[in-house]
Amino acid sequence: MLRSVLLNLSTAKWSRRFVTESRVARRVASRFVAGETFPEAIRPIRDLNARRIAATVDHLGESVATNEDAVRATEEYLGLLEAISQADVWANVSLKLSQLGQQLSRELCALNLKKILDRARQQGIFVRMDMEDSPWVDPTLELYEQMRTLGYDNVGVVIQAYLYRSQQDVEELLSKLARIRLCKGAYKEPAEIAFPNKRDVDKNYLALARRLLDASREARLPADLGRCIPPLAAIATHDERIIRAVAQYAREHDIARDQFEFQMLYGIRRDLQESLAAEGYAVRVYVPYGTEWYPYFMRRLAERPANLWFFISNFIRR
Ligand code: FDA
């Protein structure tokens, strides 16, 4: 119920204005967002790298309203790729197609994505296409396929375990040796297309994670934890029970530690990020930066009621 309300608010203009103008909200959001500009985000990235943790950098923004905004976001990503290269940090990038104009024009979005993939290829950087809400799953997978057909292999996708369709999508993607990030799913979806109970989502997540690990072992794709070629399987969750079950499965099935990576979000379960890296697992942290942090922040609140109470108590204290 609370999750639903917060996810509805994440797209409401009045609430965006109210929250983004609040100094308290900005302070609470800074727990999840590394800064407003890339130079601000670079320090947290270096801190992660120093602890043997790689990053995937996201320039925040989604559902742009005009073609000009989509082109501006594309240019921001081109600059980001350049900056990552120059800073020589252990990082690749993540992006949302709705930021590149997917909801305005498929052609414009494809053109913008190609520009980014070209530059990323020159710099030896991998690009992960985040997955957004369900109407955009097919268009996103189609664009991914189009890019692979055009010969780009520095690109990967995301699968959401809460969708009933995901098992089939995983099989289709694995037949093309797609590099997949598996997450639970962060949007509000109806019961006709997504498991309404968390327990079922978790069960599906673990089953899909094991499938990805098996596929990764069979494919033996070259992996390099740094910028380009991440392993085929990226296990993106903070759910310690699932993480431990995945690690155990890998041990029992001789799946080498360079055949998969764990991924988590900036500011969430730092203790777990560090302990997994210290145990020798490949760990990558999703590091968002930018001024358009509102919808991202609201999804983080929706995931954990304690975050909302923390926000409210800070608000009241002021
Ligand atoms: P779950 O929600 O069960 O949480 C497990 C535990 O993790 C909690 O008990 C708590 O300790 C901690 N935790 C989880 N969320 C927290 C929060 N917000 N604040 C504090 N603690 C928290 N989704 C999507 O739809 N498309 C995408 O492209 C991506 N991309 C993505 C990349 C990466 C690297 C990650 C880690 C996640 C995503 N997600 C995503 C988000 C994902 O779908 C999901 O909403 C969150 O990861 C929360 O789910 P968990 O798997 O962590 O489990």
Side-chain angles (χ1 to χ4, degrees), residues 131 160 181 184-186 198 237-238 300 303-304 307:
M131 189 60 83
Q160 298 155 321
R181 171 200 293 156
K184 289 189 186 175
K198 188 174 179 324
T237 181
H238 316 89
R300 304 295 78 84
E303 279 155 6
R304 194 159 180 257
N307 291 341

Side-chain angles (χ1 to χ4, degrees), residues 31-32 130-132 158 160 162 181 183-187 198 202 205 236-239 263-265 268-269 284 286 299-301 303-304 307:
R31 182 188 150 191
F32 303 109
D130 285 350
M131 189 60 83
E132 298 179 72
V158 176
Q160 298 155 321
Y162 62 17
R181 171 200 293 156
C183 67
K184 289 189 186 175
Y187 297 85
K198 188 174 179 324
D202 291 353
Y205 189 101
T237 181
H238 316 89
D239 189 327
Q263 295 193 352
M264 290 183 224
L265 300 176
I268 301 182
R269 292 301 315 265
R284 185 180 303 276
Y286 187 103
R299 289 196 291 275
R300 304 295 78 84
L301 291 187
E303 279 155 6
R304 194 159 180 257
N307 291 341

Side-chain angles (χ1 to χ4, degrees), residues 14-29 293-294 297-298 301 306-318:
W14 68 267
S15 161
R16 173 191 281 257
R17 204 171 325 120
F18 174 71
V19 172
T20 51
E21 280 172 10
S22 146
R23 228 185 304 156
V24 177
R26 279 209 294 274
R27 210 179 54 232
V28 178
W293 47 266
Y294 174 74
F297 173 59
M298 293 303 279
L301 291 187
N307 291 341
L308 179 66
W309 305 134
F310 178 68
F311 175 35
I312 291 173
S313 62
N314 268 269
F315 211 84
I316 293 169
R317 229 177 290 141
R318 266 192 77 85

Side-chain angles (χ1 to χ4, degrees), residues 131-138 141 158-170 182-196 200-201 204-205 208:
M131 189 60 83
E132 298 179 72
D133 46 341
S134 56
W136 301 102
V137 173
D138 275 325
L141 294 178
V158 176
I159 286 291
Q160 298 155 321
Y162 62 17
L163 296 181
Y164 302 135
R165 59 177 285 172
S166 286
Q167 192 186 352
Q168 202 181 330
D169 287 337
V170 162
L182 179 65
C183 67
K184 289 189 186 175
Y187 297 85
K188 186 169 174 248
E189 301 293 357
E192 295 81 58
I193 60 166
F195 294 104
D200 294 325
V201 178
N204 198 38
Y205 189 101
L208 294 176

